[in-house]
Structure formats: C-alpha cells, structure tokens
Amino acid sequence: MSATTTLASVAAPTSQPTRPRRLLASVRRRPAAVAGATILATFVILALVGPLLTPYGVHQRVGEVYAHPSAAHPLGLDDAGVDMLTLLIAGTRVSLFVGFAASVVSVIVGGSIGVLAGYAGGWVDGALMRLTDYMIVVPALPLMIVVATVWGPSVVHMVLVIGLLMWTSTARLLRAQVLSLRERASVRRARAIGCGHWRIAFRHIVPEVYGLLGATTVLTVSVAIFYEAALSFLGLGDPGTVSWGRLIEMAFERTAISSGAWWAIVPPGVCVALVVLGSSLLGNALQDAANPRAAIAHVSPRTFRVRAERGDRR
Amino acid sequence: MPAALAFLLRRVAVAVVTVFVAVSANFFLFRAVPGDAASVVKVPGMTAEQRQQIRAEFGLDKPLPNQYLSYLRQLTHGNLGISFENRKPVAANLAEAVVNTMPMVVVGTLIALVIGFATGLFGAWRRGTAVDAAGLGTALAFYAMPAQWLALMLILLTNGLFPSGGMSDVFLVDADFWTMMRDRIAHLLLPALTFGLASYGQYAVIIRSSMLETLGEDYVLTARAKGFSNWAVVRRHALRNAMLPITTLIALSLGTLMAGAILIETVFSWPGVGLAIYGAVRARDYPMLQGAFLLLTCSVILCNLLADTLYLRLDPRIRTA
Amino acid sequence: MTSAPQPLVDARDVNVWFDLPDGRELHAVRGADVRVNSREKLGIVGESGCGKSTLLMALMGLLPATASVSGRIEVMGADLLAGGERAFRAHRWKDLAIVFQGAMNALNPVIRVQRQIVEALELHEVASGMAAVHRASDLVRLVGLPEGVLRKFNHELSGGMRQRVSLAMALACDPRVLLADEPTTALDMMVAAQVLALIDRLTRELDLALVLVTHDLPLVTRTCDRIQVMYAGTVVESGTPADIYHQPQHPYTRLLFAATADVHSDGPDPVTILGAPPRLDQVVPGCAFEPRCPHSQARCATDVPQPQSAGKGRSWACHYPGEST
C-alpha cells in the first residue's frame, strides 16, 4: 500500500465497468452534465414541436426586408421579409437531424471498424489502423469540402460526408477496449464454449464500453453540427432546406451586416454554440463518469485542514 | 543514439506512407465524380467539342491507370495542374495563398496559445473553484461558436472600427513604410483575433487536463517532500512533464485549425489558402481544390512529424527505450 | 539504545480524515501516537489500508487538500500543525526525509538522477555547483551504485537501483529521521533483502532514526527497536520486539504472526485472518477488530478499548488482552 494508491482510492473510488444506473447517478451529480443534457433536450423538443409554434412559412413574405423585431416577429425578418423565428425553428430540425444522423453513421462505422480490428487482429487490424491513422491526420473540413463538392449538395450527402469522416475516435476506443477484454476470463470462457463472434461482441464487449460509446456519440453530435454549419456556410448545404449554417451563410452573403440587422446574424450562431456546448459538456461528463481518473493533486494552493476536535479517544 | 534513430525512421516511414495514401486518395476522390471533372465545369454554352478539348487538355480521355501514373509523375515535378478558373498553375496560386495565410494563422495561434495556457494552467492550479469553472466555461463557449459566426459577430461589435475585408487597403499606394505597416496590422487584427478566440478553447482544455494529471504524479509528491515550495514544484517538475502531451496534441489540432482558417478567410476576404478553397468550391475548380487539399494534408503530416521530433528531444524515455 | 531527552518526532492523538466525493468522510487515522527518539528504529506494521502510510504523510505535512488533520505533530520541538505548510517545509528533507514505495514513480522521468539529487542539495544549501555534483557521486557510491547512474533517467534503472537512488536522495541533506514507506514492495525477494540491509546499515552508520512502515511483522521484529501495530487507523499494540514477539497482547498481533509464513522455521502452517479490515468511512461503535476477532465478547462490539500502558512504551488496546489463540 502506498500513499498515492490509498489517497487516490480515497479521493475517487474507481468504478468498475459502469452499469447504466451507476452511470446515470454519477452523471446526475455533475452540474455540467445536467446543464448539457438540459440544453440538448430543449432543442430536441423545439425541433419536434417547432412547426406548432409559428404560423408562418419558411418562404412566406410577411413584411418588409430586415424589419426590426416586433411583438408579431420577436426575431424580426430576414432579407426576403421572412420571419426569422420560423426560419430558426426550421433550421433546428435540419441541423439537429444532420448532427444526430451523422453521429449515428460515424458510431456504426467506427464501432464496426474498431471491433473488427481488435477482434480479428493480424493484418486486418494493421490495415484498418493504418486507415484510421490516415483519417486522423487528414484535415477534416477540407476533405469534407472535397467530397461534398464532388457529390453535390443535399442533406443525405451532408450526413454521409460528416458521418463517414468522423469515426476515428470511436474506432480507436472500441479497438483498445476489445483488445483488453479479449483476454478476460469471461470472454475466453465464452469462446471456449463456442459462442459466436457477434454474440461475444454484443454480450461481452459492447456492454463494457457503452458508457464511453455514449460519450463519443454525444461528442460527435457537437462536431457534426459544427461541420454542418461550416459546409452550409461555404455553399455546400442543400439549397432547398433551411439550417442554422444556411442562415449564417445568408446573413453573410446578403446585406445583414451593412443593414445592421443583428437579429438575422446572432440567433443561428447562438443556437449552434449552445448545442455544441451542450453536447460537449454532456459528452465530457459521460466520459469522466465512464472512465474516472484519480482526482488527487499533490500540490495545490490549498493544503489540508487542521481541526481542533479530537478523535475516537474519549 | 540508435533507439532514437529507429524511432525517427519509423515515424518518417509512417509519414511517407501517409503522404502516399493522401496523394492516391486525392487522385481517386476526384475521379469518383459522376461523368468526370470536365462535365461539371460550368461554362455556359459549352459545346461537346469544347468539352472534348478540355478533356484532352487535362488528360481525362486516357485510361485511369495511365492518368494515375502521369498524375504521380507530374507531382514529382511539383506540378499540381492548371487552375480551371484563372488558367495559372495551381502550385503558383497556392504558393501565393500560403504566403498570405501565414501571418493570420501564426498571429492567431499565438493569441490562442497565450489565452489557452493562461486559462488551462490557472484552471488546473485552482481546480474546482469558481475561477476554474468560469475560465473553462468561457473556453468551451468560444470553442463551441462557429468561427464564421464569431467573425461576423466581431465585425458587428467593432462596428467598422477596424477594416474587415482583404489584407490591405488597395487605395493606399505610394504611402511610406509605417503607414503601410499600420494598414497591414489593422487589417490583420480582426481575422487573427477571431482565429485566436475560435481556437484557444481546445488548448485550454488540453493544457488543463494535462497539468491536472501531472500534479497527481508521484514525483511531484517527491519534489514536495524534498521541501520545494508549491511554485518551485510546478516550475521544476510539473510544467515540463505536462508539456509533453501538449506538443503532440497541438500538432494534431492543426487539422481543426485549418477549418477555422477556411471559414475566417472567407468572411474577411483574406486572400489565403482558405479563400482559395472557397473560391475553388464556388467555381468547381477541381485542380485548385485538389492541390489545396493535398497541400493541407501534407502540411498536417509534416507538422506531426515535427511534433514527434520535438517529443524526442523532450522525453528521454523514447530516446533510449 | 540511548534515550535523548527530547524525541525527534513526537506526534500525539493524530487523526486524519479524507473528504469523499459524496460528501462523507473517511476516518483514516484514529488517534495514533508516534514517538521517534534519536537513533531509534521504529517499525509500524499493519495490513493494507490500515492508515500507516497516511500517518507518515501526516508527519511530513504532505496530505492532499481533501484531508483534514487533528492532534499534535512536533518535530524537534516545533509544533508543525500550528505552524502550517511553512513550518512543515522547514523540516522536510533536512530533518525528515522519505523513501517512497518501490512501485511508485518517485523519480521524475525526464530529469537525470544527478539533477534530482543536486536540486535537493542546492535547495537546502548543503552544497552547490561542483561540490554538489561531487556530493551526489559520493551518495550514489554510498548506496552501492556506480557513478554512471547519475547520468541516467528513471526508465533506465531497475527497481532495486531506483530504490537505492531514492535512498541516496533521501540521505543527501543529512536528515535526522529517515521515513521508509514500504520501501521494498514491487522488488523481488533478493533485491528487497539487499535494499533493507542497506537501509539498516546506513541508518546505523549515519546515526539516523528510522521509521519503517511495512506489513511484514517478522521483518520489523528483526530490524527495529520498537514496534507499533496498527489496525483500522488505530495503534492497537506497541512495545519492543521482544515484548511483541514473546508476549503479544492483542489478538490481531498474534494473528499477524500466525499469518506470516516463516520459510526458515518448521513451525505450524500460516493462518489466514478471516474477513477484511473494516471500511473506514463508517463509524464503528466498539473495537474495530471485533468482527474478525476469534475471542470477541459482547463488550467488544459496544465499547472502544482504550490503550492500556504498561510503561516504557509498552501498551495495547484490547478488553481481553493475552487471550491465547
């Protein structure tokens, strides 16, 4: 027993493979996680019930160009006299859809590659990891730009472009986990009694990593929404739909700045920032909860406290 | 040292393989266009004959393996092809763009590093306090903002105080050196500030967690047992060790920085690589896009190699292990 | 054994608590006394998690910010808890030096051994410049290592060499007391024996006092002048090796002897102490050892046994001392 091991285990009891309830409980104790989850939930609800909230259409001209915010139009009108709030809510649906769908694509791709690499080993592992190494160094946005330019603008393409390029961290995470679990007694036993590969993967490996997997998924949502905004801004978004990224692009391309129409610029960016912040807060908290690190500092501005009270000796 | 040499050689080998993969991917990505690149070139009223001429000019009428080999041959001569748009060599266009991008990215990164280090180190030191939470929260908030939007917000907030388009005032001719300098700096200010604010968040987070991890190491306890004051422990033992992972992570973050550069240059019409990419996207200028992508990928690979070399100098464990 | 009028270390009724993340507290050390006289060798023995290492950390003031401490800690007559970090720092390494557990990364991985020894010499103004370098090479020779070790990094050393370097580092500023926290864990048996013999020899030759923390009771009965047995944060028995070996009063001490296999004797097979030490985040109403004690009686579950002194540092805390196993 050493000082550090004692102290570390005191400061942060390392939780073994996290079960759902424990994970939830430990997430609920983190204010950042609660804040992140609240932000995300609010936007998801907004996307679901959105159309009920405003009576206008996304192409409907309801007043003059860049009309100031008013009671009827709390966020004013855009360069075509369309209600900004309506556009923002419509954008929520598209942006969140792209974010979540791309995240799911990336987790499926990354999960399959990671599990396959870790499980198969040998040259399969080598080849897949080389591919992953390459995908990690390749600058993501330029590659997305290239692919999106070649494929042409559409929402489905956007989801695939982002999803197919963001899977590296999931793949690495799962591969590492599979490698460490492969030699565990329970897995070896399962293999010895002849369990199929998929059964072993889903019964023994996925349950061990879903905490981290959840964290990566949530973190990928934030990255995907970020890239959606970037690609749309560069004119690679679906011209037929409204997303937050398209709204920022429109504010830039048209005359929102020179007209001083802040209401056309500020809200879409705030929405992107909030959702990205929300999912990174929640994702990081999930990551910490699933993989708690020793929380001891040997130097800190505060020292231990001295108490006057006496101990057990009565 | 042979171990160090082996490490470096391995890294160089990996880099070379990755560059080769990038070069090949670059070729095949653009050949995956339905039809071919020439059919997408948007020239109104282009006849089938002209189209065929373009195909011949760019070698698109030859079989794929031949195209690939000639592409590789051209690359070894530094030839990235001819821009569809301005008919100048892509390499020349890019060279000019890189020279323009540099000051913006370098100054922006310096701003990001200064704010990131301050936030990260202070947060780790005062971890769990309100100051830590506020610093980390601000960093994450800036990191969450789309760079292009942050750029627009800064333009909106400064309200014309600083120039927000281009690298210099085109009407400023025959001015003396200092006026030119001032003009350049004024133009640089907003783009570089946007770049710094948009990217400092990731540095702050990385530095904070690396420092936190180091403060929990056993040798830090040894240093305190020796009688060093807190500050001396941090300066002598914690800082240098915390820097190790940071060098690699900063090199790895270069890819994400590119994204910021593209978006910010677009907003500020800064004539760098980012604006070149934006222009190439708008004009469907494939050779230009291809060249820019290759350039960015190779520079990221090169930076990773540099980070590995630096790591080798900083961490004796790799040198001799 | 000479008895100095004033002990070098005199800690009384030391309690240490740790804040747990869920807001509760863990009472790791519960009213322990530690007294170390000049040139005395004190052994502190107990199972993992009994608070013996925490007690050492408390003596050096190296507990983390999540800890709180009560009691009195005096080093060479100075009340350190009252003086705070500055007071502790005044005595670290110059008077109290420590060798950490072998499994720890006590050496900085990116700084050469020489620099790590020299920096202590310079900080405490023992030597500087070339004199410090010479002293460093004297020190590594003293612990039986070649001078070349000074140019090495941590990862280039074997476990035994690391502990010797740690020992050289601890001896750098001629401390009065050497604390050794399980210095031989993670070392194989031969190397462990060599390192212990070295510590034993050097403390004698350099007139140091030693506090040896270990779980190996037979070892301390062979090497130390006085022994304290700890259980669940409390000192349950203390005395000379002869007292402890021949007349163990606390059932835990007897079980500790029985549990240690002695490869040299033909005695009975080692016994396992059933059960695990109590969780220190709970308040125990009676004797902490009661749930595992083969002789426990009704009173043991309700009353905390107070230490009974038999003079000359001999004491135990048990309601029914001396019950035979």
Side-chain angles (χ1 to χ4, degrees):
Chain A
M1 184 198 66
S2 77
T4 31
T5 49
T6 345
L7 302 186
S9 56
V10 166
T14 43
S15 57
Q16 282 308 308
T18 40
R19 298 284 148 230
R21 196 173 303 168
R22 277 185 72 168
L23 193 70
L24 266 184
S26 104
V27 167
R28 220 175 295 140
R29 267 206 307 273
R30 295 159 203 263
V34 176
T38 313
I39 294 173
L40 282 187
T42 311
F43 275 101
V44 169
I45 292 169
L46 188 66
L48 292 177
V49 304
L52 305 175
L53 296 179
T54 64
Y56 313 107
V58 290
H59 302 296
Q60 186 186 352
R61 187 183 172 109
V62 292
E64 56 185 282
V65 168
Y66 287 134
H68 279 259
S70 61
H73 308 289
L75 290 180
L77 304 184
D78 80 346
D79 61 287
V82 180
D83 179 52
M84 268 307 294
L85 186 62
T86 306
L87 288 169
L88 199 68
I89 292 172
T92 307
R93 296 170 76 100
V94 175
S95 288
L96 284 194
F97 171 74
V98 172
F100 280 95
S103 177
V104 167
V105 169
S106 86
V107 168
I108 291 174
V109 174
S112 313
I113 289 180
V115 171
L116 184 64
Y119 209 84
W123 67 267
V124 178
D125 183 26
L128 287 177
M129 282 304 110
R130 271 284 82 77
L131 181 67
T132 314
D133 286 347
Y134 169 68
M135 293 302 285
I136 286 173
V137 292
V138 75
L141 186 64
L143 182 54
M144 286 179 193
I145 291 173
V146 168
V147 177
T149 313
V150 171
W151 282 0
S154 90
V155 171
V156 176
H157 287 168
M158 183 86 88
V159 167
L160 289 177
V161 162
I162 298 173
L164 290 177
L165 299 180
M166 300 307 316
W167 50 265
T168 47
S169 53
T170 316
R172 284 193 145 188
L173 168 75
L174 277 172
R175 176 178 172 271
Q177 202 69 28
V178 169
L179 285 182
S180 81
L181 290 173
R182 204 163 58 162
E183 299 312 316
R184 262 208 206 153
S186 62
V187 175
R188 272 202 299 228
R189 215 177 304 130
R191 215 164 18 199
I193 62 170
C195 284
H197 292 310
W198 285 109
R199 191 180 155 80
I200 291 175
F202 280 95
R203 285 294 295 275
H204 295 279
I205 291 171
V206 172
E208 297 285 337
V209 294
Y210 73 85
L212 285 174
L213 205 56
T216 344
T217 313
V218 174
L219 287 173
T220 311
V221 170
S222 73
V223 179
I225 286 181
F226 206 84
Y227 281 124
E228 188 279 328
L231 289 173
S232 292
F233 180 76
L234 297 173
L236 293 167
D238 192 332
T241 60
V242 179
S243 72
W244 291 335
R246 288 253 318 146
L247 290 177
I248 299 176
E249 184 208 2
M250 253 132 62
F252 170 62
E253 288 287 317
R254 313 291 160 79
T255 51
I257 291 193
S258 51
S259 322
W262 55 265
W263 53 90
I265 308 170
V266 178
V270 169
C271 287
V272 175
L274 277 177
V275 171
V276 171
L277 183 64
S279 49
S280 56
L281 285 179
L282 181 63
N284 284 328
L286 279 171
Q287 213 162 38
D288 281 358
N291 191 12
R293 274 180 297 186
I296 196 83
H298 291 311
V299 275
S300 78
R302 288 190 308 137
T303 62
F304 56 88
R305 287 149 293 148
V306 177
R307 289 191 191 178
E309 78 189 81
R310 299 179 65 83
D312 272 353
R313 221 183 268 177
R314 289 173 284 248
Chain B
M1 258 172 267
L5 200 65
F7 172 82
L8 259 191
L9 283 179
R10 210 163 45 238
R11 289 290 148 169
V12 171
V14 169
V16 168
V17 170
T18 321
V19 166
F20 183 73
V21 173
V23 164
S24 307
N26 201 17
F27 174 81
F28 289 106
L29 261 178
F30 285 89
R31 297 307 183 280
V33 190
D36 60 50
S39 64
V40 194
V41 180
K42 286 194 176 78
V43 180
M46 186 159 67
T47 64
E49 214 167 276
Q50 284 168 314
R51 197 177 295 271
Q52 196 50 46
Q53 193 189 333
I54 290 180
R55 287 169 57 93
E57 186 181 336
F58 291 97
L60 297 172
D61 51 350
K62 300 200 179 71
L64 209 57
N66 291 14
Q67 285 186 39
Y68 181 55
L69 284 179
S70 91
Y71 160 78
L72 288 184
R73 209 167 22 242
Q74 294 296 320
L75 265 188
T76 52
H77 296 281
N79 187 353
L80 293 169
I82 306 291
S83 161
F84 281 169
E85 194 168 41
N86 66 4
R87 296 276 161 163
K88 280 203 253 173
V90 168
N93 283 347
L94 282 176
E96 197 188 324
V98 168
V99 171
N100 292 342
T101 293
M102 276 303 169
M104 198 270 285
V105 171
V106 168
V107 174
T109 304
L110 284 179
I111 295 174
L113 284 175
V114 168
I115 311 179
F117 264 89
T119 312
L121 289 180
F122 199 75
W125 186 238
R126 296 254 163 205
R127 71 116 153 252
T129 61
V131 187
D132 176 27
L136 195 62
T138 315
L140 285 174
F142 271 112
Y143 191 43
M145 292 175 197
Q148 70 275 27
W149 179 76
L150 188 61
L152 293 175
M153 291 308 291
L154 285 181
I155 295 174
L156 202 63
L157 288 173
T158 51
N159 198 14
L161 207 60
F162 303 102
S164 61
M167 274 200 339
S168 57
D169 191 340
V170 283
F171 298 111
L172 204 65
V173 280
D174 292 336
D176 64 293
F177 177 75
W178 291 113
T179 320
M180 296 279 268
M181 239 5 227
R182 234 189 350 256
D183 177 59
R184 283 289 174 114
I185 292 172
H187 276 83
L188 182 65
L189 202 85
L190 281 185
L193 186 63
T194 312
F195 193 88
L197 287 178
S199 51
Y200 92 86
Q202 57 178 338
Y203 295 138
V205 171
I206 292 167
I207 288 161
R208 180 176 176 277
S209 70
S210 175
M211 193 64 194
L212 274 184
E213 203 145 298
T214 311
L215 291 181
E217 294 282 358
D218 296 333
Y219 53 79
V220 169
L221 187 65
T222 309
R224 270 196 76 202
K226 281 182 186 170
F228 282 108
S229 66
N230 278 341
W231 170 235
V233 172
V234 170
R235 195 165 41 85
R236 286 168 169 266
H237 290 274
L239 263 182
R240 180 167 171 199
N241 297 54
M243 292 312 294
L244 291 179
I246 294 171
T247 47
T248 323
L249 287 167
I250 286 176
L252 275 177
S253 71
L254 209 78
T256 14
L257 293 188
M258 303 282 178
I262 295 171
L263 297 164
I264 292 165
E265 287 185 3
T266 303
V267 173
F268 290 105
S269 316
W270 189 270
V273 181
L275 196 65
I277 290 179
Y278 179 69
V281 169
R282 292 264 144 154
R284 297 296 187 269
D285 186 348
Y286 285 103
M288 194 60 201
L289 200 51
Q290 199 174 7
F293 176 61
L294 194 61
L295 171 80
L296 292 186
T297 311
C298 289
S299 51
V300 172
I301 295 170
L302 194 71
C303 277
N304 280 322
L305 194 60
L306 282 178
D308 283 334
T309 322
L310 189 63
Y311 205 98
L312 193 66
R313 276 206 48 75
L314 289 174
D315 193 339
R317 278 166 291 190
I318 299 175
R319 246 180 283 160
T320 41
Chain C
M1 194 207 317
T2 49
S3 56
Q6 184 195 44
L8 295 173
V9 176
D10 191 2
R12 282 167 195 272
D13 197 15
V14 174
N15 285 278
V16 179
W17 296 264
F18 291 107
D19 303 334
L20 296 177
D22 56 11
R24 291 179 306 142
E25 275 189 336
L26 184 149
H27 196 171
V29 177
R30 309 179 169 195
D33 293 349
V34 183
R35 198 146 38 258
V36 186
N37 295 314
S38 179
R39 272 168 284 187
E40 184 183 40
K41 291 179 187 171
L42 170 68
I44 300 180
V45 195
E47 281 168 284
S48 292
C50 72
K52 52 197 195 302
S53 293
T54 305
L55 183 58
L56 275 198
M57 289 297 113
L59 293 181
M60 292 200 74
L62 290 176
L63 293 166
T66 51
S68 51
V69 183
S70 78
R72 195 174 169 81
I73 297 175
E74 278 182 16
V75 170
M76 307 178 73
D79 184 350
L80 299 188
L81 276 185
E85 167 75 7
R86 190 177 292 268
F88 275 108
R89 213 162 70 212
H91 292 278
R92 280 184 205 144
W93 227 247
K94 245 185 329 194
D95 298 321
L96 297 181
I98 186 164
V99 174
F100 287 110
Q101 201 196 74
M104 283 172 65
N105 300 311
L107 299 176
N108 190 325
V110 304
I111 300 179
R112 289 179 204 278
V113 166
Q114 173 169 308
R115 183 79 227 131
Q116 297 191 56
I117 296 179
V118 166
E119 71 172 5
L121 294 170
E122 288 177 343
L123 175 71
H124 296 288
E125 294 173 353
V126 174
S128 64
M130 275 321 283
V133 175
H134 286 139
R135 170 127 178 97
S137 52
D138 289 347
L139 284 164
V140 293
R141 274 200 306 267
L142 185 69
V143 296
L145 290 173
E147 250 176 78
V149 170
L150 289 174
R151 306 290 309 148
K152 303 257 184 210
F153 291 102
N154 179 57
H155 69 275
E156 299 168 289
L157 307 174
S158 69
M161 288 161 92
R162 280 178 202 168
Q163 285 311 80
R164 283 171 193 259
V165 168
S166 289
L167 181 60
M169 217 157 74
L171 299 175
C173 303
D174 284 322
R176 304 291 302 273
V177 185
L178 181 67
L179 309 178
D181 183 7
E182 305 226 28
T184 58
T185 43
L187 300 184
D188 63 53
M189 232 161 65
M190 290 296 288
V191 181
Q194 288 167 4
V195 169
L196 272 172
L198 182 69
I199 291 176
D200 190 48
R201 179 169 64 82
L202 287 179
T203 43
R204 230 176 316 116
E205 286 175 5
L206 300 171
D207 283 343
L208 301 181
L210 173 71
V211 179
L212 179 62
V213 164
T214 169
H215 55 263
D216 190 343
L217 183 52
L219 171 80
V220 286
T221 50
R222 285 198 300 272
T223 50
C224 293
D225 307 320
R226 214 153 45 75
I227 295 171
Q228 296 190 339
V229 180
M230 281 187 76
Y231 186 78
T234 317
V235 177
V236 292
E237 182 162 6
S238 60
T240 64
D243 294 335
I244 300 277
Y245 187 74
H246 296 295
Q247 289 137 11
Q249 294 297 321
H250 200 283
Y252 179 64
T253 312
R254 287 197 301 277
L255 279 167
L256 262 189
F257 272 119
T260 320
D262 195 341
V263 286
H264 305 296
S265 78
D266 307 323
D269 286 341
V271 179
T272 314
I273 309 182
L274 294 172
R279 293 167 49 125
L280 296 173
D281 53 356
Q282 283 154 0
V283 180
V284 195
C287 171
F289 190 56
E290 185 270 335
R292 301 167 79 187
C293 183
H295 312 292
S296 76
Q297 311 214 5
R299 190 182 158 203
C300 300
T302 52
D303 294 358
V304 177
Q306 297 301 313
Q308 302 168 34
S309 179
K312 285 193 169 178
R314 177 83 180 119
S315 71
W316 53 83
C318 179
H319 293 306
Y320 304 101
E323 298 272 325
S324 65
T325 315

